[in-house]
Amino acid sequence: MAASRYRRFLKLCEEWPVDETKRGRDLGAYLRQRVAQAFREGENTQIAEPEACDQMYESLARLHSNYYKHKYPRPRDTSFSGLSVEEYKLILSTAFQQLSFGDLESREFLPSEQIETWWCHRYCMSTLNLFLLQYSGKLG
């Protein structure tokens, strides 16, 4: 039975795309690394918790198949910021995350109003995270 679990995870890893723009932070690369660690002996690996292993596979398979995207369709492919999917991909790239605000102003990555929107979004998310931490009692 461990052999079939191993083969299912391998197939999932083969199908899961790797986003080169998120080097060091990509879910596909992380998944491959974790499967290699979990199945060190390949098909001969003994699974301590087969139910948990199966549940993890099913969860990952649902994410990969876009189950939730189809179950809960969005009316538009954007959010309150008005940025497009391509612009979000650029903003979420590792290279872009490492830039400072001065770098953004000196380069022509995005028009200035979109840069301001991005920084506003980043500030709002940071503020929301702090609020949630305080509310949950994890901060003083």
Side-chain angles (χ1 to χ4, degrees), residues 67-123:
Y67 172 81
Y68 295 104
K69 180 180 180 181
H70 299 299
K71 184 174 181 177
Y72 305 105
R74 296 180 58 154
R76 288 181 225 76
D77 284 336
T78 187
S79 66
F80 74 94
S81 68
L83 297 177
S84 68
V85 173
E86 291 77 25
E87 290 166 327
Y88 272 118
K89 285 181 182 178
L90 172 66
I91 288 171
L92 294 172
S93 71
T94 300
F96 197 87
Q97 293 285 318
Q98 293 172 348
L99 294 174
S100 68
F101 187 67
D103 291 333
L104 291 175
E105 289 182 320
S106 66
R107 299 182 187 176
E108 294 298 320
F109 283 110
L110 296 172
S112 61
E113 62 273 359
Q114 289 179 340
I115 293 172
E116 291 170 13
T117 301
W118 179 72
W119 279 103
C120 176
H121 173 74
R122 197 167 187 180
Y123 172 77

Side-chain angles (χ1 to χ4, degrees), residues 5 9 39 47 49-58:
R5 284 187 180 95
F9 271 101
F39 291 95
I47 307 295
E49 298 179 38
E51 296 83 18
C53 181
D54 292 341
Q55 186 178 23
M56 177 63 72
Y57 173 80
E58 294 301 326

